[in-house]
Coordinates of all heavy atoms in Angstrom, one line a residue:
R191 N 103.6 101.5 108.2 CA 102.1 101.8 108.0 C 101.7 101.2 106.7 O 102.3 101.5 105.6 CB 101.8 103.4 108.0 CG 100.3 103.6 107.8 CD 100.1 105.1 108.2 NE 98.5 105.4 108.0 CZ 98.2 106.1 107.0 NH1 98.9 106.7 106.1 NH2 96.8 106.3 106.9
C192 N 100.8 100.3 106.7 CA 100.6 99.5 105.5 C 99.7 100.2 104.4 O 99.8 99.9 103.3 CB 99.9 98.2 105.9 SG 100.9 97.2 107.1
A193 N 99.0 101.2 104.7 CA 98.3 102.0 103.7 C 99.2 102.7 102.6 O 98.7 103.1 101.6 CB 97.4 102.9 104.3
C194 N 100.5 102.8 103.2 CA 101.3 103.7 102.3 C 102.8 103.1 102.2 O 103.6 103.6 101.5 CB 101.4 105.2 102.6 SG 101.7 105.4 104.4
G195 N 103.1 102.1 103.1 CA 104.4 101.5 103.1 C 105.4 102.5 103.8 O 106.7 102.3 103.6
N196 N 105.0 103.4 104.5 CA 105.9 104.4 105.1 C 106.4 103.8 106.4 O 105.8 103.3 107.3 CB 105.1 105.7 105.4 CG 104.9 106.5 104.2 OD1 105.2 106.1 103.1 ND2 104.3 107.7 104.4
P197 N 107.9 104.0 106.7 CA 108.4 103.6 108.0 C 107.8 104.5 109.2 O 107.4 105.6 108.9 CB 109.9 103.9 107.7 CG 110.0 103.9 106.4 CD 108.8 104.5 105.7
L198 N 107.7 103.9 110.3 CA 107.2 104.6 111.6 C 108.3 104.6 112.7 O 109.1 103.5 112.7 CB 105.9 104.0 111.9 CG 104.8 104.0 111.1 CD1 103.6 103.3 111.6 CD2 104.3 105.4 110.7
D199 N 108.2 105.6 113.5 CA 109.1 105.6 114.7 C 108.1 106.2 115.8 O 107.1 106.7 115.6 CB 110.2 106.5 114.5 CG 111.4 106.0 113.7 OD1 111.6 104.7 114.0 OD2 112.0 106.6 112.9
P200 N 108.6 105.9 117.1 CA 107.8 106.6 118.3 C 107.8 108.1 118.1 O 108.6 108.6 117.4 CB 108.7 106.1 119.4 CG 109.4 104.9 119.0 CD 109.7 105.1 117.6
P201 N 106.9 108.7 118.7 CA 106.7 110.1 118.5 C 107.9 110.8 119.2 O 108.5 110.4 120.2 CB 105.5 110.6 119.2 CG 105.2 109.4 120.1 CD 105.8 108.2 119.4
T202 N 108.3 112.1 118.7 CA 109.6 112.7 119.3 C 109.1 113.6 120.5 O 110.0 114.0 121.0 CB 110.1 113.6 118.2 OG1 109.2 114.6 117.8 CG2 110.5 112.8 117.0
G203 N 107.9 113.9 120.6 CA 107.6 114.8 121.7 C 107.4 116.2 121.4 O 107.2 117.1 122.2
E204 N 107.7 116.5 120.2 CA 107.7 117.9 119.7 C 106.2 118.4 119.6 O 106.0 119.7 119.7 CB 108.4 118.1 118.4 CG 109.8 117.7 118.4 CD 110.5 118.0 117.1 OE1 109.8 118.2 116.1 OE2 111.7 117.7 117.0
G205 N 105.3 117.6 119.4 CA 103.8 118.1 119.4 C 102.9 116.8 119.8 O 103.2 115.7 119.5
G206 N 101.8 117.2 120.4 CA 100.9 116.2 120.9 C 99.8 116.1 120.0 O 99.5 116.9 119.1
A207 N 98.8 115.1 120.3 CA 97.6 114.9 119.6 C 96.8 116.1 119.5 O 95.9 116.3 118.6 CB 97.0 113.7 120.1
A208 N 96.8 116.8 120.7 CA 95.8 117.9 120.8 C 96.2 119.1 119.7 O 95.3 119.9 119.3 CB 96.0 118.6 122.1
A209 N 97.4 119.0 119.2 CA 97.8 120.0 118.1 C 97.6 119.4 116.8 O 98.0 119.9 115.8 CB 99.2 120.3 118.2
G210 N 96.7 118.3 116.6 CA 96.5 117.7 115.4 C 95.8 118.7 114.3 O 94.9 119.3 114.6
A211 N 96.5 118.7 113.1 CA 96.0 119.5 112.0 C 95.3 118.6 111.1 O 95.6 117.5 110.7 CB 97.0 120.2 111.3
G212 N 94.0 119.1 110.6 CA 93.3 118.3 109.5 C 91.8 118.0 110.1 O 91.6 118.3 111.3
E213 N 91.1 117.3 109.4 CA 89.7 117.0 109.7 C 89.7 116.0 110.8 O 90.3 114.9 110.5 CB 88.9 116.6 108.5 CG 87.4 116.4 108.7 CD 86.6 116.1 107.6 OE1 87.2 116.2 106.4 OE2 85.5 115.8 107.6
R214 N 89.1 116.2 111.9 CA 88.9 115.3 113.0 C 87.9 114.3 112.7 O 86.8 114.7 112.4 CB 88.8 115.9 114.4 CG 89.9 116.9 114.7 CD 89.8 117.3 116.1 NE 91.0 118.1 116.6 CZ 91.4 118.4 117.8 NH1 90.6 118.1 118.7 NH2 92.4 119.1 118.1
W215 N 88.2 113.0 112.9 CA 87.2 112.0 112.6 C 86.3 111.9 113.9 O 86.6 112.3 114.9 CB 87.8 110.7 112.3 CG 89.0 110.3 113.2 CD1 88.9 109.8 114.5 CD2 90.3 110.5 113.0 NE1 90.1 109.6 114.9 CE2 91.0 110.0 114.2 CE3 91.0 110.9 111.8 CZ2 92.3 109.9 114.1 CZ3 92.4 111.0 111.9 CH2 93.1 110.5 113.0
K216 N 85.0 111.2 113.8 CA 84.2 111.0 114.8 C 84.8 110.2 116.0 O 85.4 109.1 115.7 CB 82.9 110.3 114.4 CG 81.9 110.2 115.5 CD 80.6 109.5 114.9 CE 79.5 109.3 116.0 NZ 78.4 108.6 115.5
G217 N 84.8 110.7 117.3 CA 85.3 110.0 118.3 C 86.9 110.4 118.7 O 87.5 109.8 119.5
F218 N 87.4 111.2 117.8 CA 88.8 111.6 118.1 C 89.0 112.4 119.4 O 88.2 113.3 119.5 CB 89.4 112.4 116.9 CG 90.7 113.0 117.3 CD1 91.8 112.2 117.3 CD2 90.9 114.4 117.5 CE1 93.1 112.8 117.6 CE2 92.1 114.9 117.9 CZ 93.2 114.1 117.8
D219 N 89.7 112.0 120.3 CA 89.9 112.8 121.5 C 91.4 112.5 121.9 O 92.0 111.5 122.0 CB 89.1 112.2 122.6 CG 89.2 112.8 123.9 OD1 90.0 113.8 124.1 OD2 88.5 112.4 124.9
P220 N 92.2 113.7 122.0 CA 93.6 113.6 122.3 C 93.8 112.9 123.6 O 94.9 112.2 123.7 CB 94.1 115.1 122.5 CG 93.0 115.8 121.6 CD 91.8 115.0 121.7
A221 N 92.9 112.9 124.6 CA 93.1 112.3 125.8 C 92.9 110.7 125.7 O 93.2 110.0 126.5 CB 92.1 112.7 126.9
R222 N 92.4 110.3 124.5 CA 92.2 108.8 124.3 C 93.2 108.4 123.2 O 93.0 107.3 122.6 CB 90.7 108.5 123.9 CG 89.7 108.9 125.1 CD 88.5 108.4 124.8 NE 88.2 107.1 125.1 CZ 87.0 106.6 125.0 NH1 86.0 107.3 124.8 NH2 86.9 105.3 125.4
T223 N 94.1 109.2 122.9 CA 95.3 108.8 121.9 C 96.3 108.1 122.6 O 96.7 108.5 123.7 CB 95.7 110.1 121.2 OG1 94.7 110.7 120.5 CG2 96.8 109.7 120.2
V224 N 96.8 107.0 122.0 CA 97.8 106.2 122.7 C 99.2 106.6 122.2 O 99.5 106.8 120.9 CB 97.6 104.8 122.5 CG1 98.6 103.8 122.9 CG2 96.4 104.4 123.1
V225 N 100.2 106.6 123.1 CA 101.7 106.6 122.8 C 102.2 105.2 123.2 O 102.1 104.9 124.4 CB 102.4 107.7 123.5 CG1 103.9 107.6 123.3 CG2 101.9 109.1 123.0
I226 N 102.8 104.6 122.2 CA 103.3 103.2 122.5 C 104.8 103.2 122.8 O 105.6 103.7 122.2 CB 103.0 102.3 121.3 CG1 101.4 102.2 121.0 CG2 103.5 100.9 121.5 CD1 101.0 101.5 119.7
E227 N 105.1 102.6 124.0 CA 106.5 102.4 124.3 C 106.9 101.1 124.2 O 106.1 100.1 124.3 CB 106.6 102.9 125.8 CG 106.4 104.4 126.1 CD 106.6 104.7 127.5 OE1 106.8 103.8 128.4 OE2 106.8 105.9 127.8
P228 N 108.3 100.8 124.0 CA 108.7 99.4 123.7 C 108.6 98.6 124.9 O 108.7 99.1 126.0 CB 110.2 99.6 123.2 CG 110.6 100.9 123.9 CD 109.3 101.9 123.8
A229 N 108.3 97.2 124.7 CA 108.4 96.4 125.9 C 109.7 96.2 126.4 O 110.7 96.6 125.6 CB 107.9 95.0 125.4
A230 N 109.9 96.0 127.7 CA 111.2 95.9 128.3 C 112.1 94.9 127.6 O 113.3 95.0 127.6 CB 111.1 95.6 129.8
R231 N 111.5 93.7 127.3 CA 112.3 92.8 126.6 C 111.4 92.3 125.3 O 110.3 92.4 125.3 CB 112.5 91.5 127.5 CG 113.5 91.7 128.6 CD 113.8 90.5 129.3 NE 114.9 90.6 130.3 CZ 114.6 91.1 131.5 NH1 113.4 91.4 132.0 NH2 115.6 91.3 132.4
P232 N 112.2 91.7 124.3 CA 111.4 91.2 123.2 C 110.4 90.0 123.6 O 110.6 89.3 124.5 CB 112.5 90.5 122.3 CG 113.8 91.3 122.7 CD 113.6 91.5 124.1
V233 N 109.2 90.0 123.0 CA 108.2 89.1 123.4 C 108.1 88.1 122.3 O 108.3 88.3 121.1 CB 106.9 89.8 123.7 CG1 107.0 90.7 124.8 CG2 106.4 90.6 122.4

Side-chain angles (χ1 to χ4, degrees):
R191 183 169 181 246
C192 299
C194 53
N196 288 3
L198 300 175
D199 282 321
T202 63
E204 295 178 359
E213 184 177 355
R214 298 192 171 194
W215 47 79
K216 181 180 179 181
F218 172 75
D219 182 358
R222 301 183 80 170
T223 299
V224 171
V225 172
I226 301 176
E227 294 183 342
R231 288 184 174 89
V233 294

